[in-house]
Every structure is written in C-alpha cells, then in structure tokens.
Amino acid sequence: AEPKAVPVDCAKASSTPEIAFCAQEDFERADKLLNEAYKGMLAKVGSASADVPGLAVQQKAWREALVESQRRWIAFRDADCAAVGAGWMGGTGMGAAVSNCLADATRARTKVLQSRTREGG
C-alpha cells in the first residue's frame, strides 16, 4: 500500500520540508495566474481592431514581440532565482528561497501583463 499523503497546513508550516512544500505550492498558484494573464494579453493582441494601416502585420509584430519578451522574462526570472538559491550554498532553506523568489517575480510579472491588458500595450 502507498503511504497516505498528509496535508500540510501552510499557515502553520514550521519544518523545512513543510516550508519548502508550501513555497512550491505558492509558486505553482502564481504561475497559473501568470499563464491566465499572458493568455489575456495574447487575446488582446488578436482582437485589436484599431484603424491601423496593415493591422494584420502590426498584430503579428506585436504578438511576436510579446512572445519573445515573455520567453526572455522567464529565462531572466529563472536565472535570477537560481542566483538567489546559490546564495544559500546548499543550505536547507535553498528550495524555499528559490520558490519564494519565483513566486514573487511571477506575481510582479502578472500585474504588469494585467495592467497592459487593461491599458495600451
């Protein structure tokens, strides 16, 4: 029989494994929200109906720029948070530190994409 999973109450997490688990869960929630914001921004690009000469060409360029900026942002976020982890020099808090960094950066990027979806571009 497989061991039964014990739920972790993240409000009361105190051990290193619990804190690391909760930090990873927090990042995963933040990442889902980022993906929703990114899809919203892509939808905005696709639905642009401004009276712009060559609209299809402009939309294509906007979409390509957005996709490239997101790809580069993810690479930067991951490298930056790896540097945060390296600062722990293999210590037991490294996993949680990296997950917290990823979650914080992801939430910040989500806010940027959400504001751009509501506003210009």
Side-chain angles (χ1 to χ4, degrees), residues 31-47 63 66 70 113-114 117:
D31 194 51
K32 286 179 186 176
L33 293 175
L34 173 65
N35 287 329
E36 290 172 16
Y38 180 66
K39 287 176 186 174
M41 190 67 205
L42 287 171
K44 178 180 180 173
V45 172
S47 66
R63 180 182 183 86
L66 176 61
Q70 187 70 1
L113 291 178
Q114 288 170 336
T117 301

Side-chain angles (χ1 to χ4, degrees), residues 71-91:
R71 184 188 68 75
R72 288 180 183 224
W73 176 83
I74 289 169
F76 167 78
R77 177 201 64 190
D78 292 352
D80 191 48
C81 291
V84 167
W88 280 78
M89 298 181 192

